[in-house]
Amino acid sequence: MKISQTRNFKSVAKLNKYVHDLHSNLYPKYFKEYNYENVKEVFKSLINNESFIFLLLEDNEEALGYAWIEIREYPENAFKKGYKSVYVHQISIVDTKRNKGYGSSLMERIYEIANGRGIDLIELDYWFENSVAKDFYKKQNFIKYREFVYKQL
């Protein structure tokens, strides 16, 4: 297995289908159907942003997943202390390759990146009905510290 930083937006866009389909099935009101060409253009515009890091996971030279992370720096203000974090935007693993440790391997690489930059905080969010993510991050020892709620009018 190999995990490397990538700028291959086509591979990322192709692998995005797995996480996007999960979201669009759970929340069709908010998520469009996956469209490779549209998603490819989005990742093409994001891939060279210096704040973003895209990690490509391959096994036997086959792309099986990716992580999209962001190095965030929150400045101090009158209300809060300043801090840095690594924010996990997405992790996507090919459906047939889940529960084989690939997601955990991507998280380990994310922890290494954070440690290498002197960052001791990993942040992320996931949709409430996404039990796959909820269970995965619980196994990774993530702690809920803020809740996001809404009211439909």
Side-chain angles (χ1 to χ4, degrees), residues 20-34 127 129:
H20 191 89
D21 284 351
L22 175 71
H23 291 144
S24 65
N25 287 332
L26 288 173
Y27 295 97
K29 179 178 178 177
Y30 299 107
F31 287 90
K32 297 178 179 182
E33 291 292 316
Y34 174 82
W127 290 84
E129 298 294 331

Side-chain angles (χ1 to χ4, degrees), residues 85-88 107 110-111 114 119-124 142:
S85 75
V86 172
Y87 184 83
V88 180
M107 290 306 298
I110 291 167
Y111 302 151
I119 298 172
D120 64 358
L121 182 65
I122 309 294
E123 297 179 303
L124 56 85
F142 276 76

Side-chain angles (χ1 to χ4, degrees), residues 10-27 31-36 39 43 56-57 62-67 89-99 102 106 127 130 132-133:
K10 292 176 184 177
S11 289
V12 172
K14 186 184 279 188
L15 290 164
N16 174 262
K17 177 174 176 33
Y18 302 99
V19 69
H20 191 89
D21 284 351
L22 175 71
H23 291 144
S24 65
N25 287 332
L26 288 173
Y27 295 97
F31 287 90
K32 297 178 179 182
E33 291 292 316
Y34 174 82
N35 178 297
Y36 172 74
V39 170
F43 283 114
L56 183 66
L57 182 141
E62 180 185 1
L64 300 179
Y66 77 92
H89 283 278
Q90 293 180 341
I91 289 183
S92 185
I93 304 292
V94 172
D95 287 345
T96 58
K97 301 297 183 177
R98 290 193 181 146
N99 297 309
Y102 293 123
L106 280 168
W127 290 84
N130 187 346
V132 172

Side-chain angles (χ1 to χ4, degrees), residues 24-91:
S24 65
N25 287 332
L26 288 173
Y27 295 97
K29 179 178 178 177
Y30 299 107
F31 287 90
K32 297 178 179 182
E33 291 292 316
Y34 174 82
N35 178 297
Y36 172 74
E37 290 301 323
N38 292 343
V39 170
K40 181 180 75 171
E41 289 305 310
V42 169
F43 283 114
K44 183 178 180 180
S45 72
L46 296 173
I47 207 89
N48 290 313
N49 182 319
E50 291 301 316
S51 295
F52 297 149
I53 297 172
F54 290 88
L55 300 173
L56 183 66
L57 182 141
E58 299 170 286
D59 204 358
N60 294 319
E61 298 186 25
E62 180 185 1
L64 300 179
Y66 77 92
W68 168 20
I69 64 175
E70 179 180 0
I71 307 303
R72 290 188 172 177
E73 190 164 343
Y74 298 92
E76 182 174 338
N77 61 39
F79 304 102
K80 293 175 75 178
K81 297 177 181 180
Y83 66 96
K84 289 183 180 181
S85 75
V86 172
Y87 184 83
V88 180
H89 283 278
Q90 293 180 341
I91 289 183

